[in-house]
Amino acid sequence: PEAPAPAPTNDLERTATPPRARTARRAVQMTTSNVDVIRLWQLPDDFFALELDAQWRAIKAVTSPAQRLNAPRRPCPLSLRDELLALAFFATTLVLPFALGAAAVWAAVAGGT
């Protein structure tokens, strides 16, 4: 009996690079020269209603080169009113479903007796 012919190489085997010896790699410097920042919050409210050319002009108007920051940005200060509104919103959306579920269970248990 003849030995079977070797299987043809596939694209992955043909394009794979041979394994390299482990060597210390230099830290890659992250550059921002080719990174652009698009400030989405400055796009017009009717952005998706605009024609395609107008959309590209709007994107270009709010795009600028990235700048490296040495430290994290400080968050925008909120007024006491805005803090209370945020707290009320999250308390309502996060606590209300559990409170309603607990009330339904309590009503089912208490109502069944």
Side-chain angles (χ1 to χ4, degrees):
E2 292 182 20
T9 58
N10 60 31
D11 289 341
L12 181 61
E13 292 171 334
R14 190 171 38 256
T15 59
T17 57
R20 290 178 260 162
R22 291 182 181 230
T23 57
R25 294 183 181 170
R26 290 189 321 224
V28 177
Q29 290 285 341
M30 186 173 164
T31 61
T32 57
S33 61
N34 58 350
V35 177
D36 287 335
V37 174
I38 302 172
R39 296 176 306 276
L40 296 175
W41 61 92
Q42 292 181 342
L43 287 173
D45 291 336
D46 62 344
F47 176 78
F48 292 104
L50 299 173
E51 295 292 325
L52 188 59
D53 291 338
Q55 287 181 356
W56 283 112
R57 285 193 302 274
I59 289 173
K60 185 176 180 181
V62 298
T63 301
S64 61
Q67 298 175 356
R68 179 175 289 284
L69 299 176
N70 294 329
R73 288 188 176 152
R74 305 261 319 141
C76 298
L78 293 178
S79 67
L80 181 61
R81 178 182 169 272
D82 289 340
E83 292 275 359
L84 291 175
L85 281 173
L87 182 64
F89 172 79
F90 287 111
T92 301
T93 57
L94 295 176
V95 175
L96 187 61
F98 291 107
L100 290 175
V105 169
W106 179 78
V109 171
T113 58

